[in-house]
Amino acid sequence: MDIFAFPPLTALLDAAYGALAGLASFLEPLAGASSAALAVVLVTLLVRAVLIPVGFSQARAEQTRARIAPRLRELQRRHKKNPERLQKEMLELYRSENTSPFAGMLPVLAQAPVVGLLYTLFIRPEIAGHPNDLLTHDLFGAPLGTSLVSSVFGGTASPSTLLVLGVLIVIMLVVADITRRVFTPAPVEGDSPLNSPTMLRVTSALHYLTAVFAVFVPLAAALYLTVTVVWTLVQRTLLRRRYPLPVSATVAA
């Protein structure tokens, strides 16, 4: 089932196409065949700029959660045999601190529709019944509508495609590794399943999911993801200085 056959979503996709194609045309004298790629970068920067206030809220929430972590562990110890009482006490603690265990998820949720639109714009030969001219654009010779997996297994991989996508994925892997090293939370005190080697490996591997995802999406979406992870790392580093975590929560970082 094609959800974009639903008229409101068709109109949304066509509007997104018109906006991105118009921006690419405006940038063409500056960037040539890579104008659509530059348009994707600018859209990414715009989305991230709009989400800056959310980044501040996320940093404050992270600081608050780190500060109340000892109190949460005490509640877990005290009410471990009474799950209902434990849940009630934890919710009251979060409410008193004006935070929640889900605070900070908005940046990820807000960007999901943007990534979905970019993905759709660069895989469809037609948009709302007219040819998709965005597929004629490239980045340093790599078509914006191709992915690493489709190009390799489809036999269409060119040196330019492999090089450009390879560079983007390497950047994402490097950023993921830095993020893992700098922002890994301290181990949970006591005998917790979160301290098990398996759970620690899973938590560590989650940092690299974006790079894995980028292998399967069109180059345009991979470009969006690359700019996003770099922005996120820089923003988190700056905000961590403004909203430092308690010393006990940064020992393992």
Side-chain angles (χ1 to χ4, degrees), residues 124-153:
R124 302 173 73 100
E126 291 187 353
I127 301 292
H130 54 77
N132 185 357
D133 291 335
L134 290 174
L135 297 180
T136 63
H137 291 259
D138 61 62
L139 176 61
F140 303 125
L144 290 178
T146 191
S147 69
L148 185 60
V149 167
S150 65
S151 63
V152 170
F153 289 96

Side-chain angles (χ1 to χ4, degrees), residues 190-213:
D191 184 17
S192 170
L194 295 177
N195 290 335
S196 68
T198 299
M199 184 58 68
L200 291 175
R201 284 195 294 268
V202 170
T203 303
S204 179
L206 290 176
H207 291 91
Y208 302 93
L209 280 181
T210 301
V212 174
F213 182 64

Side-chain angles (χ1 to χ4, degrees), residues 11-230:
L12 174 63
L13 185 64
D14 194 32
Y17 169 82
L20 191 61
L23 181 57
S25 298
F26 176 77
L27 296 171
E28 192 168 359
L30 175 64
S34 297
S35 60
L38 181 56
V40 170
V41 171
L42 292 180
V43 168
T44 309
L45 295 176
L46 176 61
V47 171
R48 295 302 312 188
V50 169
L51 291 175
I52 285 177
V54 180
F56 277 87
S57 298
Q58 185 178 23
R60 288 193 296 268
E62 186 178 13
Q63 185 186 54
T64 301
R65 286 196 301 268
R67 178 170 51 79
I68 67 175
R71 296 162 65 185
L72 286 172
R73 289 192 291 269
E74 175 60 22
L75 288 176
Q76 291 167 348
R77 184 195 64 79
R78 187 185 308 167
H79 304 297
K80 61 181 178 180
K81 295 183 179 180
N82 190 342
E84 292 183 2
R85 176 69 182 277
L86 174 60
Q87 184 179 18
K88 179 180 178 181
E89 294 286 345
M90 291 176 64
L91 289 176
E92 289 181 357
L93 177 58
Y94 282 122
R95 190 179 301 113
S96 67
E97 295 289 342
N98 196 29
T99 187
S100 80
F102 307 106
M105 295 182 63
L106 182 57
V108 176
L109 297 177
Q111 291 181 84
V114 181
V115 176
L117 279 174
L118 281 175
Y119 177 85
T120 304
L121 285 175
F122 285 92
I123 65 170
R124 302 173 73 100
E126 291 187 353
I127 301 292
H130 54 77
N132 185 357
D133 291 335
L134 290 174
L135 297 180
T136 63
H137 291 259
D138 61 62
L139 176 61
F140 303 125
L144 290 178
T146 191
S147 69
L148 185 60
V149 167
S150 65
S151 63
V152 170
F153 289 96
T156 60
S158 66
S160 297
T161 299
L162 296 177
L163 178 61
V164 172
L165 283 166
V167 167
L168 294 181
I169 291 170
V170 167
I171 292 173
M172 281 185 270
L173 289 173
V174 170
V175 170
D177 192 61
I178 295 173
T179 302
R180 178 184 64 83
R181 294 175 184 274
V182 175
F183 296 103
T184 297
V188 178
E189 294 178 3
D191 184 17
S192 170
L194 295 177
N195 290 335
S196 68
T198 299
M199 184 58 68
L200 291 175
R201 284 195 294 268
V202 170
T203 303
S204 179
L206 290 176
H207 291 91
Y208 302 93
L209 280 181
T210 301
V212 174
F213 182 64
V215 172
F216 299 93
V217 299
L219 171 56
L223 184 59
Y224 178 95
L225 294 172
T226 303
V227 177
T228 294
V229 297
V230 172

